[in-house]
């Protein structure tokens, strides 16, 4: 695993992000690239760090915590600036309530909140740790049984219910488009997400910001940017394919 290939992949992706921004009249700064490092070792996270990436996405609480801990120990980092503060860890996978306690003060952003009970658990842990937690509401935009996320029709109700939780700050919405053969097939779902985000933003609910739109992965991030994504979550195109059987 040479360092150059992650760096080169990132250069290519950067060009594609820039081109998608140009096509849609958006500024590059409006889109955050989150490097999805799930199943990949901390050494590869460091390679991406050296190429300038500061935001990493993990699916599992344990893996996120382990890598955050490991990266703290990388040499070349000033001792007074531990890795956890240098990097932003994004929890992008499904979160169980009994795992909230491990991640509440480690994740920069939890992308996958999809129930009031989960949000209440986050509130409880944030009170204990005297912190606040930034979250996105995950919407099951393709209405797929296999996916988590709140149903589109219930998203506004859930945002209303979570908004009063003082330590849970709602920043926007997240979605995973249904698996598709062509990136264009994701477009209607992304467009619907942007519409929903705008609809909720216009409601100006206290405690709700609704600026962020986390959508788009290796197969469809350019379309997502064209439709208004503010965060794209890219794994395979940066780190290569994943082997879950190791
Ligand atoms: C794995 C994963 C990604 C990245 O997928 P790639 O296709 O490898 O880019 C993005 N978002 C979520 C929620 C994921 O689980």
């Amino acid at each position: 695993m040479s360092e150059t290939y992650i760096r080169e992949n990132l250069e290519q992706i950067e060009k594609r992000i820039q081109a998608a921004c140009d096509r849609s009249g958006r500024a590059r700064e409006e889109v955050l690239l989150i490097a999805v490092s799930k199943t990949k070792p901390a050494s590869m996270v460091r390679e991406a760090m050296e190429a300038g990436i500061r935001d990493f996405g993990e699916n599992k609480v344990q893996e996120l915590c382990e890598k955050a801990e490991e990266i703290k120990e990388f040499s070349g980092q000033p001792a007074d600036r531990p890795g956890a503060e240098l990097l932003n860890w994004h929890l992008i996978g499904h979160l169980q309530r009994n795992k909230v306690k491990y991640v509440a003060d480690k994740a920069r952003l939890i992308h996958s909140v999809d129930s009031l009970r989960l949000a209440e658990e986050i509130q409880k842990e944030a009170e204990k740790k005297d912190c606040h937690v930034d979250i996105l509401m995950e919407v099951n935009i393709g209405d797929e049984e296999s996916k988590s996320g709140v149903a589109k029709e219930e998203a506004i109700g859930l945002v209303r219910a979570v908004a009063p939780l003082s330590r849970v700050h709602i920043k926007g919405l997240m979605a995973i488009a249904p698996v598709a053969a062509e990136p264009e097939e994701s477009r209607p779902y992304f467009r619907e997400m942007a519409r929903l985000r705008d609809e909720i933003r216009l409601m100006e609910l206290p405690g709700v910001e609704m600026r962020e739109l986390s959508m788009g992965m290796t197969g469809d991030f350019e379309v997502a940017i064209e439709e208004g994504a503010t965060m794209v979550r890219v794994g395979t195109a940066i780190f290569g394919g994943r082997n879950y059987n190791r």
Side-chain angles (χ1 to χ4, degrees):
M1 296 282 160
S2 80
E3 194 162 303
T4 46
Y5 94 95
I6 288 180
R7 188 178 288 273
E8 278 165 14
N9 287 348
L10 283 165
E11 279 167 12
Q12 290 306 315
I13 291 163
E14 186 51 46
K15 280 187 198 149
R16 291 167 62 188
I17 292 175
Q18 185 64 60
C21 286
D22 292 346
R23 280 197 297 280
S24 47
R26 303 184 63 199
R28 173 64 187 87
E29 297 73 43
E30 291 175 39
V31 183
L32 176 69
L33 171 61
I34 299 173
V36 176
S37 49
K38 65 189 183 196
T39 79
K40 301 295 180 185
S43 59
M44 289 174 83
V45 172
R46 189 178 58 151
E47 288 177 25
M49 280 174 74
E50 281 163 2
I53 299 292
R54 290 292 174 268
D55 290 81
F56 291 90
E58 287 287 340
N59 254 25
K60 295 185 177 157
V61 169
Q62 190 180 346
E63 199 175 338
L64 186 156
C65 294
E66 282 171 6
K67 262 176 232 176
E69 194 57 37
E70 242 180 293
I71 306 249
K72 274 185 190 172
E73 284 157 22
F74 276 130
S75 57
Q77 235 166 27
D80 59 337
R81 293 187 65 197
E85 286 162 29
L86 202 62
L87 297 187
N88 300 314
W89 290 99
H90 296 255
L91 184 71
I92 61 176
H94 180 65
L95 176 58
Q96 288 169 301
R97 280 183 297 142
N98 62 0
K99 301 264 175 73
V100 169
K101 55 178 174 288
Y102 304 114
V103 81
D105 58 352
K106 292 208 177 61
R108 171 69 195 81
L109 183 66
I110 297 176
H111 291 230
S112 49
V113 175
D114 62 358
S115 74
L116 177 58
R117 289 175 78 200
L118 176 58
E120 284 171 342
E121 186 65 28
I122 296 171
Q123 169 78 11
K124 204 176 90 188
E125 283 304 320
E127 281 169 6
K128 271 194 211 162
K129 296 182 158 76
D130 194 22
C131 65
H132 74 266
V133 181
D134 289 346
I135 65 147
L136 304 178
M137 288 287 173
E138 179 175 354
V139 179
N140 186 351
I141 194 65
D143 203 13
E144 295 174 281
E145 248 177 61
S146 60
K147 290 221 175 91
S148 45
V150 63
K152 189 177 76 180
E153 298 73 25
E154 289 161 18
I156 291 176
L158 181 58
V159 171
R160 278 189 194 282
V162 173
L165 300 176
S166 59
R167 288 170 184 266
V168 179
H169 297 175
I170 307 175
K171 299 292 181 183
L173 303 178
M174 178 272 218
I176 305 170
V179 174
E182 293 293 329
E184 278 302 324
E185 293 174 36
S186 300
R187 192 181 296 279
Y189 298 104
F190 293 152
R191 192 164 287 179
E192 182 58 15
M193 285 296 295
R195 193 204 58 73
L196 185 59
R197 190 261 327 253
D198 292 343
E199 181 183 349
I200 299 173
R201 182 162 57 181
L202 285 172
M203 295 164 79
E204 296 186 344
L205 301 170
V208 178
E209 253 176 58
M210 271 303 139
R211 292 193 49 223
E212 306 297 346
L213 209 42
S214 168
M215 57 188 196
M217 320 196 331
T218 290
D220 54 16
F221 69 87
E222 289 148 301
V223 174
I225 291 170
E226 289 169 12
E227 296 299 330
T230 65
M231 299 176 169
V232 291
R233 311 176 307 265
V234 179
T236 307
I238 298 173
F239 297 110
R242 287 178 293 270
N243 178 2
Y244 287 98
N245 305 317
R246 270 178 308 178

